[in-house]
């Protein structure tokens, strides 16, 4: 039994024209696995992530996270499930301007009304791991994008979630910061054994994963596993993307 | 499509954004119009409300106009701020500064014209209701509806001018660069509010010295000083001290880092600082309104007690008893109406007492008192020389101590008087009365420098009941007749008639006018406050939606969102009222000492009513706001 079980998942958006965004997806992510989701624009990546992160509900099919089905929960229960079991990293960081970095990071714990001592310990540990101790008392607009994303990762992991979900975490970052952020994610995956699911356009980011799953027109198309070498894996991803009809020629291998 | 067409279409398309602006402008027009319609009513102009009332109404119309002006000004800027993004798009599409200004000008003139029209129409619909209300509060005969040409004329002129001026000043409201910034999302997040410790300290000092000044001495000048200090203190309280307090609160992580506190307390500093000036204004106006309400209602109550407690319907004060013209007039009038009366001649001497500041008493002859006492069934005791029967009025707050055994006079040549017995009853004005035997009275007279006037008190048994008389009672009719007669001859002869009924009625009418105007001002003001807050909230709505959407994703529940948002809205609504409440209590408990009856309760009732109105608005605004935010919760 995997940490995340997706069974026959479909999503249809009903509008003037109904769109079948996801069709019959089956996917299992094991405990401690780091999985990337890739695909062309409009292929259904965000939709899939939203289903898993319980932000949106599936039209049919089932999702089990740690053997629980969040889509059967009530709304308030669901919010609690999200902040206890899941961690989120977003492209736009989603940090609050009115809070300092430290306050942003401990926010999930304060909502759980944890003790000050516990919060301080966890904050210290996670800040050291992510190398953001110096900026803890700064505000979000006083630090760089990379630092902001690391703070967001700290917030997403401070409560030791069973599953970390990331939607384009490097989308707003330059390549150096991207690399740095991905290294942090890799480190957390290795040291804490946190299961991770990452949606990205960026082959560099995807190359840090153990496995990359490709979606085409709402269906699982293919998946490739990483061997020993990240450089090789990166090349494989680019090849796969160009095969899928992406725009691989725009991506240069120089970034690796 | 011409630019003018574009302006028209713009309004049609963006209906919801315009509705708030339009309805508030229209409301402002309606308020002023209704008010003007009332004060220019032909019957009101003729009504005997006195000079004070007409001046009061005049002032109130200026206040109403200033409020309306501020209100429209605020609406316009809130409205334009909401639409900044649209202006950004137009700028990018190549609209020139001039075109943009022309667009905004046209839009505002269109909305302004329509809201003047609908405001007047709405005012006409409500006019009858309002006239009925005024009729009742002011106790006037029924006010028929009329064609309010003058009111329409003034309203149209005032508001069209207002809209024209404001529409022409749009460049003041919209900075194109800002619009672009907004569109490109490059507007920086707001910096953390800063405050100066020194100014915060100044606030504490001025506020406390304000209380000190007014407590030490109470007169016009000290009240003025206290008010000035209070204004300064309150201003810095909202702009500086509040920020300092919140910062201290944040230092206490046990509270701050607990549940949703982290969310709303962090927002609080921004919200208070952003709205400091509005809070300041609301607090001041509310305080003044509630304090005056307290005092005015206390005056009204006092007049009522005075009327009820005073046993004499008429009093004649004359310096010379050889001028019987006043008594003759009263008696003749009463006889012709077939009303029985008793007349008591009294010659009272006024003395000041030693050691008690501002404390006087009237001394009367026992023989004169006996007459009165028999009719009013008051105790009669025998008095030796230099013994006295002390009668303290019930209506005055200045009471002599109950355990007083003798009276010592400020004039040291006068002998002391032993108090043989004392009781409470209002007889001659609100001054204590000392009854002495005729010999003592004559002895005291020798040293008395003032001329002793001859007064007559008229007791009319059929008029003495516990109810206050209505405006068509016999007492009031006769009182009015006598007072009018008195005024016509007053200046030639040394003396005058005082009638309790007429005095009562005059105070009642005076206070009624003040209360009516006050109610009107408080009513519009509270609607304006609510709308200010509404605009404030909804102009930040987009930002708040993003805020809560983000939080919702990481697991903020609907319940927690509601609580956080409720706290934020409640603070906006209740912070100023809270401080107005404190100020009113301080103000009334100090000023209220001057008056006799329950000023504080009345002031608190005024605040209570205000809180109740605001609470209704609070729930409406909250419901609408939460409904919007609920949509973004995932
Ligand atoms: N709320 C919605 N309502 C209707 N259709 C939607 C909605 N969200 C997404 N879609 C449609 O579903 C399909 C999948 O969208 P999705 O956002 O999952 O793509 P994506 O793979 O994340 O694309 P991108 O790489 O551009 O972010 C698209 O065709 C999109 O138009
Ligand atoms: Mg997407």
């Amino acid at each position: 039994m995997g940490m995340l079980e997706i069974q026959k998942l479909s999503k249809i958006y009903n509008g003037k024209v109904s769109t079948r965004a996801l069709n019959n997806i089956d996917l299992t992510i094991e405990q401690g696995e780091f999985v990337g989701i890739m695909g062309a624009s409009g292929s259904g990546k965000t939709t899939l992530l939203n289903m898993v992160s319980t932000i949106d509900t599936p039209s049919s099919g089932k999702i089990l996270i740690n053997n629980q089905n969040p889509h059967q929960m009530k709304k308030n229960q669901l919010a609690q499930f999200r902040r206890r079991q899941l961690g989120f990293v977003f492209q736009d960081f989603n940090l609050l301007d009115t809070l300092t970095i430290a306050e942003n990071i401990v926010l999930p714990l304060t909502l759980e009304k944890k003790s000050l001592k516990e919060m301080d310990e966890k904050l210290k540990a996670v800040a050291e791991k992510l190398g953001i101790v110096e900026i803890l008392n700064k505000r979000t607009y006083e630090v760089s994008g990379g630092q902001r994303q690391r703070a967001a990762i700290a917030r997403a992991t401070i409560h030791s979630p069973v599953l970390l979900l990331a939607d384009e975490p490097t989308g707003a970052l330059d390549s150096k910061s991207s690399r740095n952020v991905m290294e942090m994610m890799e480190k957390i995956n290795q040291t804490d054994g946190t299961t991770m699911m990452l949606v990205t356009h960026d082959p560099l980011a995807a190359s840090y994963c153990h496995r990359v799953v490709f979606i085409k027109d709402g269906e699982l198309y293919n998946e490739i596993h990483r061997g020993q070498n990240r450089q090789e894996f990166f090349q494989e991803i680019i090849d796969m993307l160009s095969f899928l009809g992406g725009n691989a020629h725009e991506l240069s291998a120089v970034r690796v | 499509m011409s630019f003018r067409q574009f302006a028209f279409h713009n309004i049609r398309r963006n209906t919801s954004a315009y509705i708030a602006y339009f309805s508030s402008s229209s409301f402002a027009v309606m308020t002023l119009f209704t008010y003007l319609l009332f004060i220019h009513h032909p019957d009101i102009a003729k009504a005997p409300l006195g000079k004070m009332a007409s001046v009061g109404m005049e002032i109130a119309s200026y206040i109403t106009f200033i409020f309306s002006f501020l209100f429209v000004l605020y609406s316009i800027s809130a409205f334009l701020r909401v639409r900044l993004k649209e202006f950004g798009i137009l700028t990018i599409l190549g609209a020139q500064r001039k075109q943009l200004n022309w667009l905004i000008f046209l839009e505002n003139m269109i909305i302004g014209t329509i809201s003047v029209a609908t405001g007047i129409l709405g005012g006409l619909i409500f006019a009858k209701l309002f006239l009925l209300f005024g009729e009742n509060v002011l106790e006037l005969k029924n006010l028929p509806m009329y064609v309010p040409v003058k009111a329409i004329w003034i309203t149209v002129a005032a508001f069209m001018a207002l809209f024209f001026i404001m529409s022409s000043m749009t460049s003041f409201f919209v900075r194109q660069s800002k619009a672009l910034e907004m569109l490109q999302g490059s507007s920086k997040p707001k910096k953390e509010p800063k405050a100066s410790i020194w100014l915060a300290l100044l606030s504490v000092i001025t506020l406390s010295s304000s209380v000190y000044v007014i407590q030490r001495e109470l007169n016009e000048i000290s009240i003025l000083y206290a008010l000035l200090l209070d204004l300064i203190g309150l201003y810095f309280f909202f702009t500086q001290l509040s920020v300092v307090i919140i910062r201290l609160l944040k230092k206490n992580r046990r509270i701050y880092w607990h549940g949703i506190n982290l969310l709303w307390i962090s927002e609080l500093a921004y919200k208070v600082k952003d709205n400091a000036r509005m809070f300041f204004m609301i607090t001041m106006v509310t305080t003044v309104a509630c304090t005056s309400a307290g005092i005015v209602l206390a005056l009204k109550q006092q007049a009522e007690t005075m009327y009820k407690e005073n046993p004499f319907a008429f009093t004649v004060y004359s310096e010379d008893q050889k001028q019987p013209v006043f008594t003759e007039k009263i008696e003749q009038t009463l006889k012709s109406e077939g009303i029985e009366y008793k007349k008591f001649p009294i010659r009272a001497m006024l003395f000041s007492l030693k050691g008690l500041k501002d404390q006087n008493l009237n001394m009367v002859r026992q023989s004169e008192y006996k007459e009165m006492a028999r009719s009013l069934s008051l105790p009669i005791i025998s008095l030796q020389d230099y013994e006295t029967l002390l009668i303290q009025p019930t209506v005055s707050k200045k009471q002599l101590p109950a355990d007083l055994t003798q009276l010592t006079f400020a004039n040291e040549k006068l002998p002391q008087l032993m108090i043989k017995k004392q009781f409470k009853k209002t007889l001659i004005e609100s001054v204590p009365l000392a009854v002495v035997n005729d010999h003592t009275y004559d002895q005291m007279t020798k040293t008395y420098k003032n001329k002793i006037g001859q007064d007559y008190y008229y007791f009319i048994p059929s008029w003495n009941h516990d109810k206050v008389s209505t405006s068509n009672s016999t007492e009031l009719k006769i009182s009015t007749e006598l007072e009018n007669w008195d005024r016509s001859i007053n200046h030639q002869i040394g003396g005058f008639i005082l009638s309790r009924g007429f005095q009562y009625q005059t105070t009642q009418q005076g206070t009624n006018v003040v209360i009516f105007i006050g109610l009107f001002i408080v009513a519009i003001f509270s609607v304006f406050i609510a709308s200010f807050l509404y605009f404030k909230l909804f102009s930040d709505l987009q930002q708040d939606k993003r805020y809560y959407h983000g939080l919702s994703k990481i697991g903020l529940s609907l319940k927690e969102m509601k609580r956080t948002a409720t706290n934020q809205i409640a603070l906006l609504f209740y912070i100023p009222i809270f401080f107005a409440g404190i100020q009113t209590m301080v103000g009334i408990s100090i000023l209220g000492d001057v008056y006799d009856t329950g000023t504080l309760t009345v002031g608190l009732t005024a605040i209570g009513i205000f809180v109740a109105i605001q609470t209704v608005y609070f729930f409406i605004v909250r419901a609408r706001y939460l409904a919007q935010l609920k949509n973004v919760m995932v």
Side-chain angles (χ1 to χ4, degrees):
Chain A
M1 203 71 189
M3 175 59 73
L4 172 69
E5 290 274 344
I6 299 175
Q7 295 163 3
K8 303 213 174 340
L9 183 74
S10 295
K11 175 69 183 180
I12 298 166
Y13 284 114
N14 290 316
K16 277 182 194 147
V17 190
S18 36
T19 321
R20 182 171 279 270
L22 287 179
N23 192 14
N24 224 4
I25 300 268
D26 280 298
L27 179 68
T28 303
I29 297 181
E30 298 299 333
Q31 159 78 47
E33 211 182 354
F34 189 176
V35 175
I37 310 283
M38 295 193 86
S41 186
S43 57
K45 304 180 295 290
T46 300
T47 307
L48 176 63
L49 193 83
N50 283 349
M51 300 293 135
V52 174
S53 60
T54 74
I55 286 170
D56 210 344
T57 47
S59 305
S60 68
K62 201 155 95 174
I63 293 176
L64 292 179
I65 299 171
N66 209 6
N67 279 326
Q68 284 173 286
N69 185 345
H71 292 289
Q72 285 172 349
M73 295 177 185
K74 296 215 178 65
K75 257 207 151 179
N76 282 322
Q77 223 181 338
L78 192 61
Q80 223 165 47
F81 175 81
R82 265 208 296 274
R83 72 174 181 233
R84 284 184 189 158
Q85 313 282 337
L86 305 181
F88 296 94
V89 181
F90 305 92
Q91 177 174 355
D92 59 359
F93 319 122
N94 194 9
L95 297 170
L96 303 181
D97 295 330
T98 50
L99 301 181
T100 62
I101 297 289
E103 288 159 3
N104 264 296
I105 295 173
V106 296
L107 183 59
L109 298 182
T110 57
L111 289 178
E112 288 291 322
K113 300 186 177 153
K114 293 278 194 261
S115 74
L116 259 187
K117 190 162 153 269
E118 184 182 342
M119 283 194 272
D120 281 336
E121 280 166 6
K122 290 198 169 155
L123 176 63
K124 187 161 171 273
V126 77
E128 274 168 5
K129 196 179 331 176
L130 291 168
I132 47 174
V133 176
E134 300 80 50
I135 60 161
L136 281 182
N137 287 321
K138 293 203 169 163
R139 290 186 169 263
T140 52
Y141 47 84
E142 292 169 333
V143 303
S144 74
Q147 286 171 320
R148 254 181 264 182
Q149 197 57 295
R150 275 186 279 160
I153 294 171
R155 180 184 64 187
T157 54
I158 192 168
H159 56 298
S160 316
V162 296
L163 181 61
L164 183 77
L165 301 165
D167 192 0
E168 312 264 9
T170 58
L173 302 178
D174 61 31
S175 60
K176 185 163 170 283
S177 305
S178 295
R179 209 184 299 258
N180 185 293
V181 162
M182 289 318 296
E183 275 160 12
M184 290 302 161
M185 297 217 11
E186 189 175 40
K187 187 170 163 191
I188 285 174
N189 172 254
Q190 280 165 4
T191 54
D192 301 356
T194 310
T195 314
M196 293 184 177
M197 180 171 153
L198 163 78
V199 164
T200 186
H201 272 125
D202 179 3
L204 171 77
S207 71
Y208 284 85
C209 298
H210 301 154
R211 168 162 64 120
V212 176
V213 176
F214 293 89
I215 301 185
K216 192 180 178 201
D217 301 332
E219 298 192 22
L220 283 191
Y221 180 76
N222 197 355
E223 61 175 41
I224 50 177
H225 290 258
R226 178 171 154 184
Q228 286 305 307
N229 192 331
R230 195 167 65 79
Q231 176 74 47
E232 259 171 40
F233 192 44
F234 176 72
Q235 201 52 54
E236 275 178 62
I237 293 169
I238 289 191
D239 292 346
M240 192 65 198
L241 284 176
S242 60
F243 186 69
L244 272 168
N247 34 10
H249 55 278
E250 285 172 12
L251 301 159
S252 77
V254 184
R255 285 177 66 187
V256 174
Chain B
M1 188 162 59
S2 77
F3 212 63
R4 194 170 319 145
Q5 276 174 315
F6 183 82
F8 258 117
H9 286 299
N10 219 0
I11 296 181
R12 263 228 324 258
R13 238 176 298 123
N14 266 342
T15 344
S16 62
Y18 291 85
I19 281 232
Y21 174 47
F22 163 72
S23 46
S24 51
S25 308
S26 174
F27 178 78
V29 174
M30 193 175 98
T31 325
L32 186 72
F33 174 66
T34 317
Y35 188 72
L36 290 173
L37 180 141
F38 184 75
I39 59 168
H40 290 298
H41 193 287
D43 288 0
I44 300 268
K46 273 185 279 163
L49 292 175
K51 192 157 175 63
M52 182 180 95
S54 59
V55 171
M57 289 194 168
E58 188 81 34
I59 292 173
S61 69
Y62 291 125
I63 294 179
T64 314
F65 189 67
I66 290 171
F67 275 167
S68 314
F69 180 85
L70 286 177
F71 188 56
V72 172
L73 192 77
Y74 193 87
S75 318
I76 212 174
S77 68
F79 167 67
L80 291 177
R81 216 175 322 121
V82 170
R83 297 184 50 230
L84 219 50
K85 193 167 169 182
E86 187 188 320
F87 299 142
I89 294 175
L90 283 174
T91 307
I92 282 187
L93 292 180
Q96 289 160 2
R97 172 92 258 195
K98 231 168 63 196
Q99 280 178 309
L100 208 58
N101 283 346
W102 179 234
L103 170 77
I104 298 170
F105 176 80
L106 266 185
E107 264 183 24
N108 277 312
M109 285 311 282
I110 294 169
I111 296 178
T113 313
I114 299 175
S115 49
V116 167
T118 50
I120 289 179
L121 211 66
L124 283 174
I125 293 169
F126 279 115
K128 187 62 207 162
L129 213 67
F130 192 71
L131 287 176
L132 264 174
F133 175 65
E135 221 171 273
N136 276 320
V137 175
L138 298 182
E139 291 173 15
L140 293 168
K141 303 256 159 47
N142 84 322
L143 299 169
M145 194 54 202
Y146 72 113
V147 186
V149 182
K150 197 169 175 192
I152 293 181
W153 187 86
I154 298 177
T155 313
V156 170
F159 274 100
M160 286 319 284
L162 178 60
F163 280 114
F164 181 81
I165 292 168
M166 291 211 297
S167 308
S168 327
M169 293 195 326
T170 41
S171 50
F172 178 76
F173 294 112
V174 185
R175 303 233 158 68
Q176 216 155 3
S177 56
K178 191 103 184 245
L180 275 175
E181 209 174 74
M182 177 106 172
L183 187 65
Q184 292 157 351
S186 62
S187 56
K188 283 249 163 57
K190 266 184 279 172
K191 289 260 155 54
E192 195 188 4
K194 292 223 162 41
S196 139
I197 290 283
W198 298 112
L199 289 178
L201 216 62
L202 180 68
S203 159
V204 176
I205 293 169
T206 44
L207 279 179
S208 39
S209 44
S210 157
V211 174
Y212 173 75
V213 164
I214 203 173
Q215 219 156 26
R216 207 180 45 138
E217 195 181 8
L218 194 72
N219 53 41
E220 278 96 42
I221 295 171
S222 74
I223 290 180
L224 209 66
Y225 272 130
L227 201 63
L228 200 70
L229 286 171
D230 187 51
L231 280 174
I232 298 171
L234 201 65
Y235 183 79
F236 287 121
F237 173 83
F238 282 126
T239 55
Q240 310 287 331
L241 185 59
S242 62
V243 178
V244 173
I245 292 174
I246 294 168
R247 200 184 296 154
L248 288 179
L249 191 63
K250 280 188 182 175
K251 287 242 169 74
N252 184 343
R253 292 193 305 153
R254 206 168 292 281
I255 296 172
Y256 183 42
W257 283 26
H258 186 77
I260 58 167
N261 292 0
L262 188 59
L263 296 177
W264 69 266
I265 294 179
S266 65
E267 283 271 305
L268 189 59
Y270 293 83
K271 287 250 148 92
V272 171
K273 183 90 182 185
D274 271 1
N275 299 308
R277 244 156 266 152
M278 185 175 72
F279 283 165
F280 171 70
M281 194 178 89
I282 296 176
T283 308
M284 281 326 287
V285 175
T286 315
T287 306
V288 171
C290 293
T291 312
S292 343
I295 287 167
V296 167
L297 289 184
L299 273 178
K300 198 176 154 82
Q301 259 176 29
Q302 196 186 17
E304 197 174 316
T305 356
M306 277 296 259
Y307 174 82
K308 281 189 202 155
E309 300 281 309
N310 185 356
F312 306 109
F314 302 106
T315 312
V316 173
Y317 296 97
S318 61
E319 287 154 25
D320 193 343
Q321 67 211 86
K322 287 185 206 96
Q323 292 288 354
V325 30
F326 299 103
T327 47
E328 271 169 11
K329 175 70 186 174
I330 291 179
E331 284 154 32
Q332 186 196 328
T333 312
L334 288 174
K335 264 180 203 143
S336 72
E337 295 277 335
I339 295 164
E340 266 186 49
Y341 66 90
K342 280 196 178 114
K343 173 168 93 169
F344 307 113
I346 298 273
R347 290 165 64 89
M349 294 187 283
L350 193 69
F351 291 97
S352 351
L353 289 171
K354 191 186 169 181
L356 298 158
K357 202 179 154 205
D358 293 338
Q359 187 61 278
N360 296 323
L361 61 72
N362 270 320
M363 198 170 292
V364 295
R365 239 175 234 281
Q366 193 179 22
S367 57
E368 288 175 347
Y369 167 74
K370 267 184 191 155
E371 289 284 309
M372 198 185 263
R374 265 183 222 117
S375 300
L376 298 173
S377 34
L378 298 174
I380 299 171
I381 55 168
S382 66
L383 291 167
Q384 305 297 315
D385 283 356
Y386 304 110
E387 277 183 354
T388 181
L389 168 65
L390 184 67
I391 306 169
Q392 299 220 50
T394 48
V395 292
S396 172
K397 221 176 195 178
K398 276 188 204 154
Q399 296 279 346
L400 295 170
D403 55 358
L404 205 64
T405 53
Q406 50 192 1
L407 299 173
T408 317
F409 296 94
N411 181 349
E412 307 209 328
K413 285 193 205 112
L414 287 174
Q416 288 187 334
L417 297 181
M418 292 297 298
I419 299 173
K420 194 168 178 200
K421 181 180 164 69
Q422 60 167 302
F423 66 91
K424 289 198 174 183
K425 171 87 188 166
T426 306
L427 282 177
I428 297 179
E429 298 148 19
S430 47
V431 181
L433 204 65
V435 183
V436 292
N437 68 20
D438 293 13
H439 175 249
T440 314
Y441 184 90
D442 292 334
Q443 290 296 313
M444 305 287 276
T445 324
K446 280 182 196 153
T447 58
Y448 195 65
K449 290 185 192 67
N450 301 350
K451 197 167 155 195
I452 302 172
Q454 174 67 60
D455 307 337
Y456 297 96
Y457 291 82
Y458 285 86
F459 173 64
I460 295 166
S462 60
W463 289 356
N464 270 41
H465 25 70
D466 271 350
K467 275 187 295 180
V468 291
S469 54
T470 51
S471 44
N472 46 15
S473 68
T474 337
E475 172 168 4
L476 273 183
K477 254 190 287 173
I478 294 178
S479 300
T480 313
E481 189 188 324
L482 286 173
E483 291 268 355
N484 285 340
W485 170 84
D486 180 63
R487 259 182 234 163
S488 63
I489 55 113
N490 196 14
H491 300 293
Q492 295 126 44
I493 307 155
F496 56 95
I497 301 176
L498 257 188
S499 68
R500 62 171 185 198
F502 189 78
Q503 274 187 313
Y504 168 73
Q505 205 194 19
T506 324
T507 322
Q508 289 300 304
Q509 277 179 345
T511 47
N512 281 344
V513 171
V514 175
I515 288 170
F516 179 71
I517 295 170
L519 276 180
F520 186 76
I521 290 180
V522 166
I524 42 175
F525 188 68
S526 68
V527 173
F528 283 1
I529 292 174
S531 315
F532 276 147
L533 296 175
Y534 185 85
F535 274 130
K536 197 86 209 168
L537 273 174
F538 281 79
S539 65
D540 291 343
L541 185 64
Q542 289 312 317
Q543 204 179 318
D544 289 354
K545 273 185 174 171
R546 229 174 300 128
Y547 178 85
Y548 283 112
H549 183 61
L551 281 172
S552 153
K553 280 188 187 168
I554 64 166
L556 186 80
S557 69
L558 193 62
K559 236 197 286 178
E560 285 162 336
M561 178 280 277
K562 280 185 179 168
R563 266 171 39 221
T564 314
T566 302
N567 280 351
Q568 280 171 8
I569 304 171
L571 283 165
L572 277 183
F573 269 86
Y574 291 107
I575 283 182
I577 298 187
F578 176 74
F579 287 102
I582 292 181
Q583 293 219 9
T584 305
M585 273 199 278
V586 174
I588 285 185
S589 66
I590 292 168
L591 293 179
D593 278 347
V594 181
Y595 304 99
D596 297 332
T597 34
T599 330
L600 192 61
T601 14
V602 173
L604 289 182
T605 317
I607 288 266
I609 293 171
F610 205 76
V611 170
I613 297 173
Q614 289 297 307
T615 303
V616 173
Y617 292 139
F618 165 70
F619 279 110
I620 296 172
V621 170
R622 174 180 170 272
R624 295 211 48 190
Y625 186 72
L626 288 185
Q628 291 280 327
L629 288 186
K630 228 167 129 176
N631 294 334
V632 301
M633 297 301 283
V634 290

